Amino acid sequence: MANVLIIGAGGVGSVVAHKCAMNSNVFTTIMLASRTKAKCDRIAAEIQEMHGVTLQTAQVDADVVPEMVALIRSFNPVLVINVALPYQDLPIMDACLEAGVHYMDTANYEPKDVAKFEYSWQWAYKERFAQAGLMALLGCGFDPGATQVFTAYANKHYFDRMDYLDIIDCNAGNHGKAFATNFNPEINIREITQPGRYWENGEWIEIPAMSIHKPIDYPEIGPRESYVLYHEELESLVKNFPTLKRARFWMTFGLAYLTHLEVLQNVGMTRIDPIKFQGMDVIPLEFLKAVLPAPESLGENYTGQTSIGCQIKGVKNGEEQTCFIWNNCDHAETYREVRGQAVSYTTGVPAMIGAMLMLTGVWMKPGVWNCEELDPDPFIEQMNKQGLPVQERVNVPLPHEYPTA
């Protein structure tokens, strides 16, 4: 049906490439490109062996707009799937506008030199994409992405008004490493070491990092200590569902992970400002990334599950109602299917689904959009077909405190 260009050959990029190849009726020709072509070639060889589909590969520096434009024009895709680094979002969007192709990503823009991520930079492209007749779909991974679809689905089917939203994210897997991050270490560590934030009564409440926590019982996993973080989908969800009185994001961390992280912070290894070392500028976090296990290397011996979902309280037909929508994903099963671990899988599969819905016209709409602004039903349908089965329960107790009326 269409050519698609995937930018980024890490763990998520590999899953996206695998799943696109497994849906070759939609993704008729696939190119995988990154700064290191050898990584693309390895993934392409794996896909050829496992699925019998041939991928084209290329080298490109996604920070350099003319390079991106030249690659896009030579390959002529309908859509660029950006699974590179968040601070490359804007140059890739610029290249898509110049070359006249649609765009999507899995994480919102973040400046390289500041640990700050928000949608304002990308939302500013809305008019330009609309005038060009092009679509940009933002944050179409799991969280962000599927969690926003879950919220929109609940709003459509179960509520007249949503009041309270808690997104809960647990990785109960074991990769056997002393310390490793499940996605890009630069982004992962920047995300969790900044101050926490949540939405309440029309304003953002900022808290010290990891200062609010409690055990939450996750399906098929059990209780895990969960911490309030700021996560990007909250920004668009409270904008698009203004009835929300409170919206929070919770993520689990093991004690060993937190201990390692505290030590790394204390010795300065999580800094993102350059320091002088042997006459060269070195950014400690970038050096740390180089010595940590690559996220895409964790899959082979990973065991256990992830569990990610939305717990919502609101009103239906004048009565209070709750809804819990979630997915559990098994690390070992995802490795057997696509040679990736479940954290990469739960990001990569929704990216492929979003791309599929764009290319088939189901979600095609000029402008810049977040996932909750589009019809959630076809996305949920594809999750159930593509390896991320969705579970839902209505009017069950939720593990959160709510103000009394």
Side-chain angles (χ1 to χ4, degrees):
M1 179 177 288
N3 291 2
V4 65
L5 171 60
I6 304 166
I7 305 296
V12 175
S14 176
V15 172
V16 174
H18 272 268
K19 296 299 286 191
C20 286
M22 293 166 69
N23 289 272
S24 57
N25 59 317
V26 175
F27 305 96
T28 49
T29 307
I30 305 162
M31 175 178 279
L32 180 62
S34 78
R35 185 176 279 121
T36 307
K37 186 174 181 293
K39 294 172 69 175
C40 302
D41 293 338
R42 179 191 61 77
I43 294 168
E46 187 176 81
I47 288 171
Q48 177 67 50
E49 180 182 350
M50 294 178 67
H51 313 301
V53 174
T54 300
L55 267 64
Q56 298 181 38
T57 63
Q59 189 279 331
V60 70
D61 185 341
D63 292 314
V64 182
V65 174
E67 272 194 39
M68 281 294 307
V69 171
L71 178 63
I72 292 169
R73 287 178 172 162
S74 67
F75 179 58
N76 195 31
V78 174
L79 170 68
V80 170
I81 302 176
N82 169 19
V83 283
L85 295 172
Y87 45 76
Q88 295 172 314
D89 288 358
L90 299 189
I92 297 176
M93 290 180 79
D94 288 333
C96 287
L97 278 172
E98 186 173 338
V101 299
H102 302 294
Y103 167 89
M104 69 167 294
D105 62 38
T106 61
N108 69 359
Y109 175 70
E110 179 176 348
K112 190 169 185 178
D113 56 351
V114 182
K116 178 183 181 181
F117 49 98
E118 60 183 51
Y119 279 116
S120 61
W121 291 287
Q122 291 180 280
W123 284 343
Y125 281 70
K126 189 177 184 75
E127 187 175 335
R128 277 175 283 171
F129 269 83
Q131 288 177 347
L134 298 173
M135 180 176 180
L137 179 61
L138 307 182
C140 192
F142 207 109
D143 44 354
T147 51
Q148 290 152 284
V149 172
F150 287 174
T151 305
Y153 181 85
N155 184 68
K156 179 177 178 179
H157 294 284
Y158 297 126
F159 294 101
D160 297 324
R161 186 188 78 228
M162 295 189 299
D163 295 327
Y164 300 97
L165 167 67
D166 287 276
I167 299 170
I168 60 170
D169 182 324
C170 172
N171 178 17
N174 178 16
H175 47 55
K177 308 292 185 183
F179 182 80
T181 61
N182 291 289
F183 56 96
N184 186 282
E186 285 182 80
I187 306 306
N188 180 235
I189 292 174
R190 283 162 63 127
E191 178 181 289
I192 66 177
T193 55
Q194 69 170 326
R197 226 174 1 141
Y198 63 93
W199 180 260
E200 189 165 34
N201 296 326
E203 63 180 355
W204 293 106
I205 309 298
E206 187 167 296
I207 59 173
M210 318 293 267
S211 60
I212 295 179
H213 56 95
K214 66 179 179 181
I216 292 176
D217 197 349
Y218 292 85
E220 301 179 48
I221 292 170
R224 291 290 191 277
E225 198 68 15
S226 306
Y227 298 78
V228 170
L229 308 179
Y230 176 66
H231 224 244
E232 61 211 72
E233 64 262 48
L234 295 179
E235 181 183 10
S236 65
L237 285 169
V238 301
K239 170 178 172 282
N240 290 311
F241 298 108
T243 65
L244 286 170
K245 299 175 183 176
R246 187 181 68 203
R248 301 179 296 190
F249 182 95
W250 304 79
M251 182 174 281
T252 61
F253 298 97
L255 182 59
Y257 182 95
L258 294 177
T259 301
H260 277 87
L261 185 61
E262 182 179 9
V263 171
L264 291 169
Q265 283 184 277
N266 288 343
V267 299
M269 284 304 300
T270 62
R271 288 172 52 177
I272 61 175
D273 56 309
I275 62 168
K276 285 289 184 185
F277 177 72
Q278 295 184 349
M280 298 181 295
D281 282 338
V282 176
I283 296 175
L285 184 54
E286 290 185 356
F287 176 80
L288 178 62
K289 173 186 175 181
V291 298
L292 288 176
E296 59 268 27
S297 73
L298 301 176
E300 186 170 6
N301 298 306
Y302 222 137
T303 58
Q305 296 184 70
T306 62
S307 182
I308 311 172
C310 295
Q311 298 181 329
I312 305 166
K313 182 179 180 182
V315 173
K316 179 72 171 180
N317 297 326
E319 300 288 333
E320 286 192 347
Q321 181 154 289
T322 66
C323 178
F324 180 22
I325 307 177
W326 78 96
N327 162 265
N328 274 37
C329 187
D330 185 272
H331 286 287
E333 289 180 7
T334 64
Y335 185 77
R336 283 192 291 271
E337 183 188 346
V338 298
R339 295 294 183 265
Q341 38 96 345
V343 176
S344 296
Y345 190 88
T346 54
T347 303
V349 174
M352 181 279 295
I353 292 172
M356 173 185 287
L357 296 180
M358 290 175 69
L359 293 175
T360 55
V362 178
W363 269 17
M364 183 49 64
K365 190 175 181 181
V368 175
W369 305 98
N370 293 96
C371 291
E372 72 271 21
E373 297 178 280
L374 303 157
D375 184 4
D377 292 1
F379 196 100
I380 297 285
E381 179 184 354
Q382 285 299 324
M383 287 185 71
N384 288 324
K385 292 179 179 178
Q386 301 290 344
L388 292 174
V390 178
Q391 310 293 319
E392 51 189 286
R393 293 181 188 163
V394 177
N395 280 336
V396 293
L398 300 179
H400 309 292
E401 304 75 36
Y402 303 103
T404 55

